[in-house]
Amino acid sequence: WGDAGYIKLKMGVKAAEGMCGIAMAGSFPIKTSPNPGPSPLSPPSGSKKSPPPAPGSKKSPPPGPSSEPIQCDADNECPAHTTCCCLTELFNQCFIWGCCPMPQATCCDDGQHCCPSTAPVCDAKSGKCLQAPGVYLASEPWQAKRAATCKSAFRSALNSVVYKAYGIQ
């Protein structure tokens, strides 16, 4: 939210608490540890490259992305490379889950759509995903949520009623 991670405030506000109460509890980060060392994946500068594999030996390919389902809770899951989004919540407990068809998605408040991490702002008026609020340049269409897989027969029956109400398949 905000403007590329920043917010804009009016200068010269006369109220002691500042604009939106921000002067009441000002905070800033304090560095308390040294900078991290070099990544273990990159060789230190000036070091030699590792020798090539011996003739006839095959290098194993790097592991691909996981194809394991994403666990929403004990009873519900979404396919790999998707995002669990709560459709029905009561007292901070999700009862019905939906799946956004992309990883690390933003779940839109309308309960039916989601946006990719590259354009995480849901704009209900335009039906688009924005990189920042009000910035329509490079916007993307929002995506419809899909039904999560439920392992519990009772919750599965309840889910199907809610999915019909939301128009989710």
Side-chain angles (χ1 to χ4, degrees):
W1 59 269
D3 186 4
Y6 294 90
I7 59 172
K8 295 178 181 179
L9 296 174
K10 183 177 180 182
M11 292 179 58
V13 175
K14 296 192 186 326
E17 64 274 3
M19 186 173 181
C20 302
I22 199 144
M24 294 172 30
S27 65
F28 53 91
I30 299 175
K31 185 176 177 183
T32 59
S33 62
N35 290 336
S39 168
L41 299 177
S42 61
S45 59
S47 69
K48 296 179 181 178
K49 292 183 179 178
S50 59
S57 66
K58 291 186 178 181
K59 188 175 181 180
S60 60
S66 173
S67 59
E68 294 291 318
I70 309 295
Q71 291 298 132
C72 303
D73 64 10
D75 292 329
N76 295 278
E77 63 188 25
C78 288
H81 316 295
T82 63
T83 302
C84 294
C85 285
C86 186
L87 298 179
T88 304
E89 182 180 311
L90 183 63
F91 300 115
N92 293 325
Q93 176 69 37
C94 186
F95 288 96
I96 310 291
W97 291 94
C99 306
C100 289
M102 62 202 87
Q104 300 173 343
T106 297
C107 306
C108 298
D109 291 337
D110 72 344
Q112 298 177 358
H113 300 96
C114 47
C115 290
S117 59
T118 55
V121 178
C122 302
D123 186 71
K125 289 181 182 176
S126 66
K128 293 188 177 195
C129 303
L130 312 178
Q131 292 179 356
V135 178
Y136 293 91
L137 186 66
S139 65
E140 300 179 29
W142 60 7
Q143 301 291 313
K145 293 176 186 172
R146 295 178 175 95
T149 302
C150 186
K151 301 172 192 173
S152 160
F154 171 74
R155 284 186 70 177
S156 184
L158 179 62
N159 288 1
S160 65
V161 171
V162 174
Y163 290 148
K164 281 185 182 180
Y166 278 111
I168 295 174
Q169 298 182 9

